[in-house]
Amino acid sequence: MPLPTEVLNQAHVRAPKGIVYGPPGVGKTTFGANTHKPLIVDCENGAAHMRCDRTPYLSNWPAIRSWLDALAAGDHGYGTVVIDSVDWLLRRLEEHVSGVDGDERKMSQTMNRSHGGYGNGKQVLKNYVYQYLLPMLDRIVNSGVAVVLLAHATRHEVTSIDGVTVEKSSPDIHADLVNTMIEWSDFVAAARINVNGVREMILCESPQQLAKNRYGITAPLMLDWDALMGEIVKSQPAAPQQTDPGATAPETNPETQTEGVNPNA
């Protein structure tokens, strides 16, 4: 059986997607509001003080989904979709799977009892995340729009590849989904205020924080979108040189030995 014809062999530069998490008041929503042409998808009613485009407070999953569908369809002019916050988005999705969706008559519904009981609701929740949420966010990213998921911080036990279990700060995401969301992300940044009172983000794993990035960033950065994008741009591979056998070699200044530079210009 022949292989499919489409094989990629070049680095693919795309809009970034990732998580920024931290304690209350560290500046997560402010970070999101200062991204490139942002739209804040307000899932927790905490962005009213931001002077940037934002949705109304979205208090249930159907309202959130309608916005995600529209953003994935394009033709909106935004450069970054900021989910504030992903832990609240997932709670609204969990309520939807449980059959609540804000209906006071159904407040006794639970994940374990929904969809025939026996914990089937947990699998339905995963299906929504794997088959709808992450593919929809990827559609937004693949259209050239960055996706930033803001999250609160909690403490999770993390087991290393060597079998050592330690407790670390990590995004406050549903225990069944946190690993999937981290794997999906290009970066996971732990936001904090350092000993000098400066807001910064950690993008490299440490004994205290869960963090990662696919850009080779090792040092802390200012909690600032431009600082992050500057490092991402630096990490991108150079475009391959196109050689033209008939092209004339560029002139070289004999005094400076620098191509194309005129010291008297």
Side-chain angles (χ1 to χ4, degrees):
M1 179 177 178
L3 293 172
T5 57
E6 187 178 8
V7 177
L8 306 178
N9 59 14
Q10 297 291 334
H12 176 59
V13 179
R14 68 179 184 195
K17 56 181 184 177
I19 300 170
V20 176
Y21 75 95
V26 75
K28 301 183 296 295
T29 304
T30 301
F31 172 87
N34 288 303
T35 57
H36 175 62
K37 296 181 180 178
L39 174 70
I40 294 181
V41 179
D42 188 359
C43 302
E44 65 171 70
N45 203 20
H49 61 292
M50 289 291 113
R51 292 189 175 182
C52 70
D53 287 5
R54 61 185 187 276
T55 69
Y57 169 44
L58 307 177
S59 61
N60 57 66
W61 173 248
I64 295 170
R65 178 168 184 167
S66 68
W67 275 93
L68 295 180
D69 289 343
L71 288 166
D75 295 328
H76 48 70
Y78 292 107
T80 312
V81 172
V82 181
I83 307 295
D84 189 14
S85 62
V86 67
D87 33 319
W88 276 89
L89 178 150
L90 292 172
R91 288 172 194 169
R92 298 309 183 207
L93 179 52
E94 184 174 345
E95 291 167 359
H96 178 72
V97 171
S98 299
V100 180
D101 271 342
D103 189 339
E104 292 184 2
R105 298 167 298 176
K106 299 178 180 180
M107 290 299 177
S108 61
Q109 292 281 86
T110 66
M111 289 283 289
N112 286 335
R113 293 168 57 187
S114 66
H115 300 274
Y118 302 100
N120 289 339
K122 290 184 177 181
Q123 184 57 52
V124 175
L125 177 64
K126 291 179 181 179
N127 291 345
Y128 267 97
V129 172
Y130 299 155
Q131 298 298 319
Y132 171 78
L133 179 60
L134 295 183
M136 189 61 65
L137 295 178
D138 275 331
R139 280 184 59 190
I140 295 172
V141 170
N142 292 336
S143 71
V145 177
V147 171
V148 176
L149 309 179
L150 304 181
H152 298 88
T154 188
R155 300 287 290 178
H156 274 154
E157 286 191 344
V158 178
T159 302
S160 72
I161 195 171
D162 298 316
V164 178
T165 299
V166 296
E167 191 177 65
K168 293 187 177 187
S169 295
S170 63
D172 188 8
I173 294 174
H174 193 288
D176 292 337
L177 301 170
V178 61
N179 288 337
T180 299
M181 302 302 292
I182 289 170
E183 291 163 8
W184 172 86
S185 299
D186 291 331
F187 64 90
V188 176
R192 69 179 187 182
I193 301 175
N194 67 20
V195 294
N196 297 315
V198 176
R199 287 176 166 84
E200 65 180 12
M201 50 185 163
I202 309 299
L203 292 112
C204 194
E205 187 83 3
S206 77
Q208 294 78 34
Q209 294 109 358
L210 192 153
K212 63 168 262 191
N213 73 90
R214 294 176 175 148
Y215 309 110
I217 302 170
T218 57
L221 299 179
M222 297 284 291
L223 186 56
D224 175 77
W225 179 252
D226 289 340
L228 176 60
M229 286 304 301
E231 293 300 316
I232 291 175
V233 169
K234 288 180 187 177
S235 74
Q236 301 303 323
Q241 296 291 327
Q242 299 293 327
T243 57
D244 182 355
T248 304
E251 294 183 1
T252 301
N253 187 305
E255 296 181 4
T256 63
Q257 293 294 302
T258 304
E259 293 184 356
V261 176
N262 182 352
N264 299 316

